[in-house]
Amino acid sequence: MPRYLVTGCAGFIGSTLTDALLAEGSEIVGVDAFTDYYDRSAKEAALAPAREHSSFSLIEHDLSGGVPEDALEGVEGIFHLAARPGVRASWGAGFEAYVSDNILASHAVADAAGDRGIRLVFASSSSIYGDALAYPTPEDTPPSPISPYGVTKLACEHLLNAHARDSGLEHVALRYFTVYGPRQRPDMAFSRLVAALVGGSEFEIYGDGSQSRDFTFVADAAAATIAAMRNGPIGATYNVGGGSESTLRDVVALVEELAGRTLNVCYGERAAGDVKRTLADTSRIRSEIGWEPHTDLRSGLGSQLAAAGALASSGG
Ligand code: NAD
Ligand code: UGA
């Protein structure tokens, strides 16, 4: 059975990917530092199914200081998802942690992979496009991030390309577009919507709610990531978009319809670094490695609401 390293294995997407790989029969060594971006208990809960699995082992470690030797033993591929995510917290003093968890950690992972000839799949972000110059946005659109977070993710892509020239690092970069579903990070919009629904609190929309995202269901993102490891040509970059562009106002209406309840919504300031719109052109990943999204927004949101016990039929 293939053995892989998953960095950020306790995170939202990393834990989902780990479960999918274990279900396929892979052996996984996971590395995570359980950083303080959000509560450790949420990460422990996300990792609980993997911890039950005999083919999973965990190394708690901060990758900004290098990759531990035992994490690399017998590994044929590295899924590098560890990072400090989130657009809005990357301004001000928070930026230092983005430099460490994104740029320094990715540099260390690229060093380790390049030196040993281990294939690497990197989790990049739609945020590298900023307010994109074209919609739908193809991968060769000039990047122009408008948040410090987006700048670090673009820097990571460039770092990997530099390592590729120097050490022959074999890598594929995936630009995920706003991922959602069960285990979603607590700072993200849908998580907060669900929390407001369950707890009866207010959901604050940043701006007027006309911003839109190409929302991507987490199982689809995990499937794209596995396909990129298996079939992605060396040096390729792919958009991973769910094909479900929707405005935040439309999402609120859909949540209300699915839950059979009205949400308590208020409007605040537009958030700094927030792009107005994302929409992926996914023709490249479809034609080159045969990935396509399978979950539309209605059913994906239904899964997230059900996992949180917030569906009308679940009595929530
Ligand atoms: P997450 O915060 O849930 O997961 C990231 C994990 O990495 C966390 O468990 C954290 O503890 C770990 N980590 C952070 N810094 C580390 C370090 N220095 N050493 C070891 N572990 C460290 O985030 P997520 O939403 O699952 O995102 C996963 C990846 O996908 C990130 O690279 C993120 O930038 C990228 N991404 C996410 C989205 C999204 O919508 N969630 C969209 C685009 C790109
Ligand atoms: C998401 C992830 O959080 C980033 O890590 C990732 O890199 C990015 O997607 C990406 O696609 O590259 P974002 O699109 O901001 O970023 O995702 P959400 O946090 O779910 O926000 C979606 C929209 O809802 C944004 O316009 C945001 O401002 C808004 N929002 C969010 C609110 O109005 N209220 C909230 O409480 C939270």
Side-chain angles (χ1 to χ4, degrees), residues 37-156:
Y37 184 72
Y38 61 93
D39 230 43
R40 179 168 184 135
S41 60
K43 297 181 187 182
E44 289 288 1
L47 199 55
R51 277 187 189 266
E52 294 290 304
H53 214 287
S54 58
S55 301
F56 177 77
S57 59
L58 172 71
I59 300 175
E60 186 166 342
H61 176 85
D62 185 339
L63 291 160
S64 61
V67 184
E69 203 50 51
D70 47 344
L72 297 162
E73 242 165 64
V75 156
E76 70 179 58
I78 301 175
F79 294 97
H80 178 42
L81 280 78
R84 181 147 298 232
V87 171
R88 297 172 289 281
S90 65
W91 298 94
F95 187 60
E96 204 173 323
Y98 285 80
V99 172
S100 181
D101 291 338
N102 299 354
I103 300 179
L104 296 182
S106 297
H107 183 53
V109 170
D111 256 343
D115 287 350
R116 291 165 184 78
I118 302 174
R119 191 174 165 82
L120 177 68
V121 172
F122 171 64
S124 188
S125 159
S126 73
S127 62
I128 67 109
Y129 294 118
D131 283 317
L133 296 174
Y135 294 100
T137 309
E139 290 85 350
D140 55 9
T141 304
S144 185
I146 61 166
S147 68
Y149 163 76
V151 170
T152 64
K153 295 305 279 191
L154 181 59
C156 289

Side-chain angles (χ1 to χ4, degrees), residues 289-313:
I289 63 173
W291 173 86
E292 59 182 14
H294 291 292
T295 312
D296 66 14
L297 191 57
R298 174 176 286 271
S299 64
L301 251 178
S303 303
Q304 187 165 347
L305 288 167
L311 278 186
S313 57

Side-chain angles (χ1 to χ4, degrees), residues 165-234:
R165 286 184 73 111
D166 175 57
S167 67
L169 170 71
E170 298 183 359
H171 75 287
V172 177
L174 298 180
R175 295 173 178 160
Y176 299 143
F177 283 62
T178 311
V179 183
Y180 73 99
R183 303 182 186 168
Q184 193 188 41
R185 296 189 334 253
D187 59 303
M188 295 187 71
F190 290 9
S191 265
R192 291 194 170 166
L193 268 168
V194 170
L197 202 60
V198 172
S201 52
E202 264 189 350
F203 173 69
E204 181 180 348
I205 291 185
Y206 303 141
D208 64 4
S210 65
Q211 69 265 46
S212 66
R213 293 289 181 273
D214 188 350
F215 292 106
T216 309
F217 190 62
V218 63
D220 284 330
T225 312
I226 295 170
M229 177 64 80
R230 305 247 157 94
N231 308 320
I234 294 166

